[in-house]
Amino acid sequence: MSTVHVIGAGISGLACATRAAISGVDVALYEAAGQAGGRARSFHDESLGCMIDNGNHLLLGANESTRAYLADIDAGEMIREIAPAAFPFMDLSSGERWRVRPGGGLLPTWIFSKDRRIPGTTTGEYLRQAYRLKRAGKTDTVLGAVGNDSVLYETLWQPLCRAALNTDASEASAKLMWIVLRETFMKGEEACRPWFFHKGLSAALVNPAIRFLKENNAEVRFQARLRGLRWTDHKITSLYFPEGMLRIEPDDAVILAVPPDICNDIWPAAKAPTDSRTIVNAHYRMDKPVSLPWDAPFVGLVGSETHWIFARDNIVSLTISAGDALAEKPNWEIANLLWSEVAQVIGSSAGRMPAWRVIKERRATFAQTPAQVNSRASTDTSIKNLFLAGDWTDTGLPATIEGSVRSGFKAASQALESIRNARADAKE
Ligand SMILES: Cc1cc2nc3c(=O)[nH]c(=O)nc-3n(C[C@H](O)[C@H](O)[C@H](O)COP(=O)(O)OP(=O)(O)OC[C@H]3O[C@@H](n4cnc5c(N)ncnc54)[C@H](O)[C@@H]3O)c2cc1C
């Protein structure tokens, strides 16, 4: 039987491996680390004495491939939806609070309602700026397209660029931001509903997938770091691991689902994006569960260092995207600085700074600037049985879980097709 060999057990590799297993071929998954999940994982943190996620993650209602993946691995119950869609915000410099509440229906009619849009903005501004984004070219940044002379720059475009593209609006790709708008706000309220991981990332995205693969007789190998590939006649013939060489049969397929820098080492022809941006997360373990304004599981912040604050059980977690400058500071300084912002949000219940943990994900995503977005690689390669997956490949979406899952599904489908072609060639 043919085997699909998947290198990397991040979300793209897991989505690819599970789809291939469903189709009935043999699957082997190789992961360099001791656990799966890559950039979206949970772990037991010694200083907090509990499980935490490496960083807060949100999905949106529009993320259909991710929900299909969760259904595949029987983990649909592990995400929770906020309906109707609402994004609560606080401005820590002015104390102002508001909620962006996309309304029902396909047209974004909510921008006509003062109660649903951002305070101090007019309907005309949304229409004009969305139109400018739609018309933006491949080399335009969000700042270049919309300008920064409206309140919307700091209260809408910056939070959206940082959250969806992990890139400051001054350098983020306008074309990619238009896609985000088109797939969410322009598709109605349901597409904008936030979905969050109420039991953590691994409980939803990772553990059920590993269980599913094992139940389907897939081989899952941890601490298996691919060092290189060999090919002849446009076919991969062997994989090199520190322990030795693995022979690849002519009707097997190989998928590289590794981060872009690793892909450039193993398969330089991919010319994957080389520039990345950091996400900083700070976690605090409180004595008891705390509630955020509107009793929401998360609140967006402006006029502050923190971009998002999440509360789950008695853990309060803060996210700062495109956080390369902040990440230069020592962890204790970041923990102190951000704790003063937590205290502003939750008020007197904050008390003294509790046990904390700061996590700097230096290569959280590739930098979603026009130049880097234009250098994303496609799924297929010049080698007939070699395919690429990952949030950085040319999914047409930002580097997100949804992009990763879509890239994994696409790679699985192309790998299966290459196997069918190889078998047909062998019969001739
Ligand atoms: C802090 C943070 C917050 C985020 N927030 C969100 C969010 O709110 N919403 C959202 O949708 N997305 C978010 N993202 C992005 C999302 O996590 C990523 O897009 C996604 O996890 C990438 O998955 P991947 O499989 O493409 O890559 P990776 O997760 O990088 O997986 C690649 C895997 O390959 C393995 N590997 C590397 N080299 C080798 C080798 N030589 N051999 C074998 N294995 C190898 C790695 O160990 C890793 O497990 C966030 C990311 C971070 C870091």
Side-chain angles (χ1 to χ4, degrees):
M1 171 118 73
S2 306
T3 303
V4 172
H5 301 267
V6 182
I7 317 297
I11 306 306
S12 59
L14 291 170
C16 179
T18 50
R19 271 288 152 109
I22 288 168
S23 80
V25 293
D26 285 346
V27 173
L29 177 63
Y30 310 88
E31 165 58 48
Q35 66 167 80
R39 283 173 276 153
R41 66 191 186 283
S42 315
F43 64 96
H44 188 267
D45 183 77
E46 293 301 325
S47 48
L48 298 181
C50 61
M51 292 294 287
I52 54 171
D53 290 342
N54 66 316
N56 300 309
H57 282 63
L58 266 189
L59 296 177
L60 291 177
N63 295 167
E64 284 171 7
S65 303
T66 308
R67 283 189 290 149
Y69 166 68
L70 291 167
D72 282 353
I73 59 175
D74 199 16
E77 297 297 308
M78 294 294 160
I79 48 168
R80 200 163 271 171
E81 163 188 62
I82 297 177
F87 295 87
F89 277 95
M90 282 181 74
D91 183 337
L92 289 196
S93 57
S94 68
E96 200 166 14
R97 297 173 176 205
W98 66 91
R99 284 193 302 162
V100 176
R101 289 183 299 141
L106 280 184
L107 289 173
T109 47
W110 57 276
I111 60 172
F112 292 96
S113 161
K114 253 187 169 173
D115 296 341
R116 288 179 173 274
R117 61 178 191 241
I118 298 165
T121 59
T122 63
T123 308
E125 283 173 290
Y126 290 83
L127 294 175
R128 262 193 311 278
Q129 300 203 355
Y131 181 70
R132 286 191 208 146
L133 267 187
K134 183 172 191 258
R135 299 296 306 267
K138 277 177 94 170
T139 56
D140 289 330
T141 61
V142 172
L143 172 63
V146 302
N148 59 0
D149 49 357
S150 148
V151 177
L152 282 181
Y153 186 70
E154 287 300 336
T155 55
L156 181 69
W157 302 121
Q158 273 294 23
L160 264 182
C161 283
R162 289 170 181 154
L165 308 186
N166 186 27
T167 307
D168 195 90
S170 61
E171 55 169 6
S173 157
K175 263 214 145 352
L176 203 49
M177 181 42 68
W178 168 248
I179 290 171
V180 173
L181 282 194
R182 195 188 65 196
E183 296 295 311
T184 55
F185 287 98
M186 312 289 285
K187 283 203 169 158
E189 181 269 332
E190 249 187 89
C192 299
R193 288 183 190 166
W195 289 77
F196 61 100
F197 297 90
H198 61 109
K199 301 266 186 208
L201 291 167
S202 290
L205 295 165
V206 183
N207 303 341
I210 296 294
R211 205 163 40 237
F212 176 90
L213 288 169
K214 290 188 172 163
E215 280 166 9
N216 285 276
N217 302 318
E219 188 186 339
V220 181
R221 282 202 217 162
F222 293 110
Q223 316 280 12
R225 182 180 296 278
L226 182 75
R227 297 273 186 223
L229 309 162
R230 177 161 296 172
W231 64 94
T232 29
D233 291 338
H234 296 284
K235 283 249 166 166
I236 299 290
T237 52
S238 38
L239 302 179
Y240 287 86
F241 293 94
E243 305 75 39
M245 186 263 274
L246 181 79
R247 192 175 135 81
I248 299 298
E249 300 301 329
D251 58 353
D252 287 353
V254 176
I255 288 120
L256 284 182
V258 295
D261 53 323
I262 307 291
C263 187
N264 281 334
D265 287 345
I266 297 174
W267 182 247
K271 296 200 174 78
T274 48
D275 198 6
S276 57
R277 291 291 175 270
T278 303
I279 298 182
V280 177
N281 270 270
H283 305 270
Y284 301 91
R285 183 171 183 161
M286 313 294 286
D287 290 339
K288 52 181 188 312
V290 293
S291 51
L292 298 177
W294 293 281
D295 269 334
F298 66 87
V299 173
L301 301 180
V302 295
S304 54
E305 195 74 55
T306 307
H307 299 155
W308 298 93
I309 176 166
F310 285 68
R312 174 155 60 92
D313 304 326
N314 55 346
I315 297 290
V316 172
S317 303
L318 278 60
T319 298
I320 297 90
S321 301
D324 297 82
L326 181 67
E328 292 308 309
K329 295 185 195 294
N331 287 354
W332 61 266
E333 199 178 322
I334 295 176
N336 274 301
L337 173 70
L338 300 184
W339 179 248
S340 65
E341 297 187 343
V342 176
Q344 276 179 266
V345 177
I346 64 174
S348 54
S349 58
R352 283 162 56 112
M353 186 164 79
W356 55 270
R357 170 74 193 259
V358 169
I359 301 174
K360 298 168 178 169
E361 287 276 3
R362 296 276 184 186
R363 290 179 175 157
T365 66
F366 78 100
Q368 292 163 78
T369 60
Q372 295 284 285
V373 167
N374 294 336
S375 74
R376 297 172 89 175
S378 62
T379 310
D380 56 349
T381 67
S382 57
I383 301 289
K384 284 185 198 157
N385 62 345
L386 177 67
F387 303 92
L388 307 177
D391 61 353
W392 57 272
T393 58
D394 193 8
T395 60
L397 296 176
T400 51
I401 291 174
E402 177 71 4
S404 303
V405 171
R406 243 193 239 188
S407 78
F409 283 178
K410 191 170 172 195
S413 133
Q414 295 199 5
L416 293 169
E417 196 185 328
S418 83
I419 287 175
R420 281 191 295 273
N421 292 341
R423 286 180 186 160
D425 288 350
K427 274 190 193 153
E428 277 172 11

